[in-house]
Amino acid sequence: MTVTRKLLCVAYASIALLALIGTWSHNVAYLPLGFAGANLRFWGDTFANPASRSITVDLFFLSFAVLVWMVLEARRLHMRGVWLYLLFGLLIAISVTVPLFLIHRERVLAVRAPGTPAGRLATGDLIGLALLVLATLAYTATTLVRAPA
């Protein structure tokens, strides 16, 4: 791996660490509610006002676009386990898992032979993307219904 790629990986790791600290320093407030209660309360709190609904929908669609790219890039580079980045993006924070995916990508690019043909999407990747689309659309529809007239 070149020095440039190594430095890029260090930058990505730093971003992931700062994102983890930044998100989970707030998320820990929900942990005493248990898994189900924490999730219900957290997502309910995203409906607090028009600004929170707007930023949440914005982040959902940005995340969706990035996750589609991640799956396609993983397919192109024959990267395994892309669905884990999708899952942990939902459970931990997308701002943590995208930089980790980028580190994985840099490591694959460092050893990949030029001209290697693209791979195919696995069934799990397709199912994960479909579920993500449904969740994003459901949340967006819910915010539109709850939005003031």
Side-chain angles (χ1 to χ4, degrees):
M1 183 179 289
T2 65
V3 172
T4 303
R5 285 196 189 279
K6 286 180 184 177
L7 289 174
L8 193 53
C9 288
V10 168
Y12 289 146
S14 299
I15 292 167
L17 179 61
L18 291 171
L20 182 66
I21 293 167
T23 56
W24 278 85
S25 63
H26 300 287
N27 292 350
V28 294
Y30 293 91
L31 294 181
L33 301 173
F35 183 76
N39 275 290
L40 289 172
R41 179 72 177 271
F42 178 88
W43 291 110
D45 285 352
T46 67
F47 291 112
N49 58 53
S52 64
R53 289 189 294 272
S54 173
I55 195 70
T56 302
V57 169
D58 188 34
L59 290 174
F60 268 5
F61 280 98
L62 172 63
S63 297
F64 180 63
V66 169
L67 293 176
V68 167
W69 172 80
M70 287 169 59
V71 168
L72 295 175
E73 188 69 353
R75 182 189 127 232
R76 182 178 75 84
L77 298 175
H78 298 276
M79 295 169 61
R80 295 168 60 171
V82 69
W83 65 273
L84 290 170
Y85 296 104
L86 306 178
L87 175 65
F88 291 129
L90 295 171
L91 297 177
I92 297 171
I94 194 67
S95 59
V96 174
T97 59
V98 169
L100 296 178
F101 172 84
L102 292 171
I103 291 169
H104 184 180
R105 179 181 177 271
E106 287 301 319
R107 293 173 54 93
V108 168
L109 286 172
V111 297
R112 184 171 185 261
T116 304
R120 298 180 60 182
L121 286 177
T123 303
D125 294 332
L126 292 172
I127 291 169
L129 279 175
L131 292 174
L132 183 63
V133 168
L134 292 175
T136 301
L137 292 175
Y139 181 86
T140 302
T142 304
T143 62
L144 293 174
V145 169
R146 287 194 177 186

